[in-house]
Amino acid sequence: IDVPVALVLDEVSVGAYEEIRKEAAEEHPGAATLTALIRLRQFCSHPWAAGKLTGIRDVAAASPKLQRCLEIIEEIVAIRAKALIFTSFNEVSDLLASEISKRFEIPAEQINGSVPVRDRQRMVDAFTAHEGPAVLVLNPKAAGTGLNIAAASHVIHYNLEWNPAVEDQASARAYRRGQRLPVTVHRMFFTDTVEEVINERMMRKRGIANQAVVGTAGDADDLADIVKALQRSPVAPS
């Protein structure tokens, strides 16, 4: 069950987002542009990951997306289900695991590139064996293939991936042999931002193999999407 979760930046977030976007608005496609693209994606995941809104000391208050994610987790905990959360950014993974564990007093472990491959299956086994709600926060590149995590009936893509195959492979961790429940996939993105362009791109390219690393092949379609992503603004034209 695919559930798009379209969100809107609040007023404070719009200003901080525009600061990053305008820094790259006049740049030609290249290294600086790709750096800006990553920073905008980081910001949409959580402003602190992009060095913004650090004066807001409450982690959830600084991010409408985190607030909505915690609401989804609350619903999942209420039905005593398990969830996988995918994010590309380790700093955001740390924030998610810490906040979920603290708020709901449930296991919230992480699997990313820093976790040795030999330890990942052990963590999945512990997640599966746990009676009651639990969360695994996963990096899609580190845990997007090879693991069977059928104990989870909810998947949350906290930030969307440029390559739709990466997202599909990540979702498939829960929708594997042994899964007896419907799997609900929550895809979170901010409208009028780089994330909406990524969502549009994914809808267009879903089911079509393309390069895993943005821009490396010099694909004209990649380039057009990058430019569009940097031009998309949450500020309404005057």
Side-chain angles (χ1 to χ4, degrees):
I1 304 171
D2 191 16
V3 182
V5 184
L7 303 165
V8 178
L9 290 171
D10 59 27
E11 186 175 349
V12 174
S13 298
V14 166
Y17 181 92
E18 281 294 279
E19 289 176 4
I20 300 173
R21 195 186 69 81
K22 287 179 178 179
E23 289 173 2
E26 303 302 322
E27 295 283 351
H28 293 291
T33 302
L34 293 177
T35 298
L37 187 69
I38 292 170
R39 283 197 70 208
L40 289 173
R41 292 184 65 217
Q42 289 174 321
F43 180 90
C44 288
S45 297
H46 197 285
W48 294 358
K52 296 291 186 181
L53 304 187
T54 54
I56 302 175
R57 295 314 306 158
D58 183 276
V59 64
S63 170
K65 180 184 281 189
L66 179 54
Q67 292 174 32
R68 179 64 188 122
C69 183
L70 292 172
E71 291 171 357
I72 294 171
I73 294 297
E74 185 175 17
E75 295 167 4
I76 293 169
V77 170
I79 61 173
R80 299 187 61 77
K82 292 184 171 74
L84 310 180
I85 304 179
F86 286 97
T87 178
S88 307
F89 307 111
N90 287 350
E91 183 176 352
V92 176
S93 178
D94 291 341
L95 293 176
L96 285 165
S98 173
E99 193 68 10
I100 290 169
S101 177
K102 180 174 67 176
R103 285 190 180 228
F104 302 108
E105 298 182 338
I106 61 172
E109 301 294 335
Q110 302 179 67
I111 298 179
N112 54 41
S114 66
V115 177
V117 173
R118 65 180 180 274
D119 293 337
R120 296 175 190 178
Q121 188 59 55
R122 176 186 56 78
M123 295 174 69
V124 170
D125 292 343
F127 174 80
T128 300
H130 177 74
E131 294 187 6
V135 169
L136 275 178
V137 186
L138 310 165
N139 182 299
K141 292 184 178 178
T145 59
L147 294 177
N148 183 345
I149 320 179
S153 57
H154 287 262
V155 174
I156 299 173
H157 290 288
Y158 191 77
N159 62 265
L160 303 186
E161 295 299 323
W162 192 266
N163 181 356
V166 173
E167 180 182 304
D168 290 344
Q169 289 169 356
S171 296
R173 296 315 94 210
Y175 196 66
R176 305 289 286 177
R177 180 179 298 175
Q179 178 58 268
R180 298 179 179 180
L181 298 172
V183 175
T184 302
V185 179
H186 311 261
R187 303 177 63 255
M188 307 188 74
F189 63 94
F190 281 113
T191 60
D192 298 316
T193 71
V194 58
E195 290 194 321
E196 185 173 51
V197 175
I198 294 173
N199 185 58
E200 292 167 355
R201 169 187 170 86
M202 294 184 73
M203 294 300 98
R204 189 176 74 242
K205 287 183 171 286
R206 189 167 294 281
I208 301 174
N210 66 307
Q211 285 73 32
V213 181
V214 59
T216 54
D219 187 278
D221 204 29
D222 271 346
L223 183 56
D225 284 336
I226 294 168
V227 173
K228 186 191 301 181
L230 294 176
Q231 291 174 342
R232 188 70 56 92
S233 170
V235 177
S238 55

